Amino acid sequence: ISALRGLSSQGQVRSIATSARGRVVAAVDSWDGPDPQTGEPPPREGELAIWRDGRLVGGKAMNLDTYGNAVAVSRDGSTVAVATEDGRVLVVDAHTGRVEQTIRRQEGGISVTTVAFSPDGTLASGSWAGIVNLWDPETGKGLGHPTLVAQAPVSAIAFAPDGKRFATT
């Protein structure tokens, strides 16, 4: 983890993913921001960093303005997906570090706890509410209906090699 230069030294790495035979690595971290002395909870912060061939894409980590909960890299290494605590899924170009899509679930601001790409590139997101959604990462549009998989947070999603089924924890 210490080799992941580019993430804030204040943060705790929460998720890491690789693809394209290890050429692309992505990680998200999180930390509580400085206490503004207002009696409110401190702001939650997080960053995404993407490395391609050992170089930090874009020269610096992307501020998420909330916790980064999980990260996934597409099979070909062209796209990174980030699950955030505030209910967003960011779809990021792994070559430029630019956000291509911001996906917000129908269920509102419920924390997105995990993301995974299927072999065909479909994106799955799991939530704190136990719901899995499938997405077209290029358009940001939902595929099918949300699926309640548990009455507990979804902590991981893994697709079968054929991409037709997935398992969750």
Side-chain angles (χ1 to χ4, degrees):
I1 301 288
S2 63
L4 298 178
R5 302 198 192 293
L7 287 173
S8 171
S9 61
Q10 356 177 28
Q12 172 184 2
V13 175
R14 297 191 53 155
S15 179
I16 187 166
T18 66
S19 192
R21 298 181 185 227
R23 291 185 53 227
V24 178
V25 177
V28 291
D29 68 357
S30 63
W31 70 94
D32 289 330
D35 187 351
Q37 311 259 340
T38 64
E40 298 290 321
R44 293 175 178 240
E45 303 288 344
E47 296 172 318
L48 164 70
I50 303 168
W51 296 266
R52 179 172 289 282
D53 297 323
R55 291 194 172 91
L56 186 61
V57 172
K60 64 179 185 171
M62 175 195 309
N63 185 346
L64 300 172
D65 295 316
T66 188
Y67 283 175
N69 283 337
V71 64
V73 182
S74 64
R75 178 182 251 171
D76 66 1
S78 66
T79 307
V80 172
V82 181
T84 67
E85 184 185 50
D86 65 3
R88 295 174 294 149
V89 175
L90 302 176
V91 180
V92 179
D93 183 308
H95 295 280
T96 65
R98 192 174 81 227
V99 175
E100 298 291 325
Q101 294 290 335
T102 300
I103 298 170
R104 297 184 197 283
R105 300 171 31 261
Q106 281 182 309
E107 297 83 30
I110 297 169
S111 181
V112 180
T113 51
T114 191
V115 285
F117 283 99
S118 74
D120 72 0
T122 297
L123 176 61
S125 65
S127 76
W128 183 258
I131 297 170
V132 171
N133 288 284
L134 299 178
W135 309 97
D136 177 335
E138 290 182 19
T139 66
K141 297 203 187 255
L143 304 172
H145 297 285
T147 304
L148 178 64
V149 296
Q151 291 188 357
V154 179
S155 61
I157 301 170
F159 280 91
D162 65 7
K164 295 180 181 177
R165 294 166 288 150
F166 61 83
T168 64
T169 61

